[in-house]
Amino acid sequence: MRMYDLIMKKRNGFSLSKEEIDEMIQAYTKGEIPDYQMSAMMMAIYFRGMNEEETLALTMAMAHSGEMMDLSAIQGVKVDKHSTGGVGDKTSIALTPMVAACGVKVAKMSGRGLGHTGGTIDKLESFPGFSTGISEEHFFRQVNEIGVSIMGQTLDLAPADKKLYALRDVTATVDNMSLIASSIMSKKLASGADAIVLDVKTGSGAFMKQEEDAFALAKEMVRIGNGAGRKTYALITDMDQPLGNAVGNILEVKEAIDTLRGEGPEDFTELCFALGSKMLLAAGKAENDSEARKLLQEAVASGRALDKLKEFVHAQGGDENYVSHPEQFPVAKYIYQVSSPEEGYIAGITCDEIGICSLILGGGRETKDSEIDLSVGLVLEQKKGAYVKKGDLLATFHANDEQKLQCAVERFLKAYTFSKEPVEKEKLIKGMI
Ligand code: URA
């Protein structure tokens, strides 16, 4: 294989064979292809696209470029869930115990937050003592015993994607459907679950701003997952405003606990039931959505889902008493209420700006090594479509630094737009594949 020939082939609009893609990804992972040639290939793919066979071949080649997690030590069907990321997305914390309480095994690897989006590991570390740095043996044993575990990534999963993603990031080649789908799915396939439920976000706080792009990405990823022999479902869901009300680590954990008590925000609860239903279906625990939803509702109403969160926190070294007594979590020094500057219907909330407010307060990471402040963030009191009078409460801010608070509030007020005319509430679930 000459990389020059492959670049020219793709540049001229021809398809690459599975063998060519395999060889190219193996050589690139080993450092035998320089970044400048791979950049040219990425740009050729960006303009010429990839067909279904090429996209599947690229995904499989990247998935196999490093270690593949072997979950066979865990009995039964293992289901994974992946969100393309957003603001206020605390789904894994409520959903995984909910699903495990229905008898479905969840063996999940999660990451930390970067930029304006939060990460599950940071949120879980709000429980004093909680560790995601557990051994594989601990992970397998815990899933077998209590049905749920979340660990940080230790294995070198899909290293080709890691290299390629960094390259795409600096060569304006991220936003190509085949490249995104293969990047996400290579990591999911390498993580080893039997079934995958994808939550593809769309809107101002999401990677895919346009709904039709989110649908196309979801379709592509489902096709790849099923093609690789994993039962795969996708929901396309709204991220044009934060999910639920809380944004910020401890605040989001408290909201997840409220949701497991049956007292969570309507949109967040609905998303957990919708995704959870697909996880139950994928694991063969229910015949249809309504049966699955009943099982999940019952797990919450009976308190079994909340008990499962306690077990989960305890099993990973955390203090489970915080689940029963969330008032023990540290509270920020300044609690500041932001009132509406106008009267009218809330027409829009620029979602990523709300994530940036939490970042400014210290709740997120600017770089991989930044320290985060778990207690800061904000709780939205009014969301899109609501009618507010001037002076009505819009949000409550939790801060430990006055200057940061002022800066975040200024930014927050610019993220809201108002209308004199009624505004339709955004549909949470835009579609399913
Ligand atoms: N997330 C990924 O993991 N890969 C992409 O290409 C885009 C988003």
Side-chain angles (χ1 to χ4, degrees):
M1 174 202 78
R2 276 184 76 217
M3 189 59 185
Y4 179 92
D5 296 337
L6 293 191
I7 296 168
M8 191 155 68
K9 190 172 176 186
K10 184 42 81 183
R11 187 202 70 183
N12 292 345
F14 295 100
S15 312
L16 301 177
S17 70
K18 181 181 176 320
E19 291 70 30
E20 286 168 336
I21 291 172
D22 278 346
E23 225 185 303
M24 173 177 82
I25 292 300
Q26 277 172 26
Y28 183 60
T29 310
K30 285 191 230 153
E32 292 167 6
I33 294 174
D35 279 345
Y36 54 80
Q37 281 191 311
M38 196 47 118
S39 304
M41 174 58 88
M42 289 297 113
M43 194 55 87
I45 292 174
Y46 184 89
F47 281 118
R48 291 295 191 174
M50 279 184 134
N51 64 28
E52 294 185 353
E53 288 75 33
E54 289 175 292
T55 309
L56 181 60
L58 178 62
T59 311
M60 298 313 284
M62 292 201 295
H64 288 276
S65 65
E67 294 175 83
M68 297 285 282
M69 188 87 177
D70 178 5
L71 299 182
S72 58
I74 302 169
Q75 294 116 38
V77 180
K78 281 77 68 182
V79 185
D80 196 358
K81 169 247 152 201
H82 176 81
S83 155
T84 56
V87 179
D89 191 354
K90 71 284 293 176
T91 311
S92 291
I93 297 163
L95 179 62
T96 52
M98 220 184 256
V99 167
C102 295
V104 173
K105 300 258 171 67
V106 188
K108 190 166 165 47
M109 263 163 283
S110 286
R112 296 191 181 276
L114 188 61
H116 77 279
T117 60
T120 302
I121 290 187
D122 297 325
K123 291 171 200 175
L124 284 169
E125 285 176 353
S126 301
F127 292 103
F130 192 98
S131 170
T132 51
I134 54 175
S135 66
E136 267 182 56
E137 192 203 344
H138 178 149
F139 181 66
F140 294 155
R141 184 170 17 92
Q142 186 179 321
V143 180
N144 274 328
E145 283 173 11
I146 69 165
V148 55
S149 182
I150 296 184
M151 74 185 285
Q153 192 173 308
T154 49
L155 295 181
D156 193 19
L157 299 181
D161 174 64
K162 210 175 287 165
K163 273 187 89 175
L164 268 179
Y165 191 67
L167 191 68
R168 287 165 54 216
D169 207 20
V170 292
T171 54
T173 51
V174 168
D175 52 335
N176 169 277
M177 207 62 73
S178 291
L179 294 177
I180 297 172
S182 57
S183 166
I184 294 175
M185 290 308 287
S186 64
K187 288 174 284 214
K188 286 289 110 186
L189 297 180
S191 306
D194 305 302
I196 302 161
V197 175
L198 300 161
D199 180 8
V200 182
K201 305 282 191 195
T202 180
S204 61
F207 197 68
M208 291 282 142
K209 308 276 181 225
Q210 304 301 325
E211 212 169 300
E212 59 268 32
D213 292 341
F215 269 88
L217 177 64
K219 248 187 216 163
E220 189 68 30
M221 292 198 290
V222 168
R223 196 185 59 77
I224 293 172
N226 287 326
R230 318 285 172 95
K231 206 176 237 183
T232 309
Y233 295 92
L235 296 191
I236 296 89
T237 72
D238 181 57
M239 192 35 79
D240 212 33
Q241 60 180 341
L243 178 62
N245 302 327
V247 181
N249 296 283
I250 286 177
L251 298 171
E252 291 187 41
V253 168
K254 285 180 167 176
E255 190 163 273
I257 294 171
D258 286 346
T259 304
L260 289 172
R261 285 203 175 107
E263 296 160 5
E266 206 181 306
D267 61 342
F268 180 54
T269 305
E270 173 55 25
L271 185 70
C272 288
F273 286 152
L275 289 168
S277 298
K278 294 289 175 235
M279 291 172 84
L280 265 55
L281 284 180
K285 281 281 167 194
E287 296 273 313
N288 52 50
D289 271 319
S290 73
E291 194 184 311
R293 184 173 281 258
K294 261 196 210 133
L295 291 173
L296 291 160
Q297 284 168 336
E298 216 277 310
V300 172
S302 63
R304 280 187 295 113
L306 191 70
D307 287 343
K308 189 55 78 180
L309 177 65
K310 285 183 206 161
E311 271 183 86
F312 167 37
V313 170
H314 176 78
Q316 292 193 216
D319 187 345
E320 74 274 19
N321 290 318
Y322 280 66
V323 177
S324 312
H325 296 286
E327 69 283 359
Q328 291 184 104
F329 281 114
V331 176
K333 196 158 137 200
Y334 304 104
I335 308 293
Y336 182 82
Q337 299 195 316
V338 182
S339 346
S340 178
E342 286 184 42
E343 176 166 355
Y345 295 91
I346 299 173
I349 306 174
T350 314
C351 191
D352 42 7
E353 283 294 306
I354 304 297
I356 290 169
C357 290
S358 176
L359 185 71
I360 293 170
L361 292 170
R365 267 187 203 85
E366 301 273 1
T367 71
K368 273 189 180 154
D369 303 317
S370 324
E371 281 272 317
I372 58 171
D373 185 343
L374 293 168
S375 65
V376 300
L378 59 148
V379 179
L380 304 182
E381 309 288 347
Q382 299 292 351
K383 292 179 64 176
K384 222 164 152 182
Y387 183 78
V388 290
K389 294 209 182 85
K390 189 172 173 181
D392 279 356
L393 183 60
L394 277 189
T396 307
F397 274 60
H398 295 238
N400 282 319
D401 180 301
E402 262 182 297
Q403 247 183 343
K404 288 179 180 171
L405 172 62
Q406 197 184 350
C407 177
V409 169
E410 270 170 29
R411 196 113 182 199
F412 173 82
L413 286 170
K414 286 191 196 136
Y416 270 66
T417 48
F418 297 88
S419 157
K420 294 277 168 254
E421 303 302 320
V423 175
E424 245 185 75
K425 278 197 181 164
E426 205 66 57
K427 242 169 97 181
L428 176 70
I429 316 271
K430 313 267 184 192
M432 294 183 194
I433 290 167

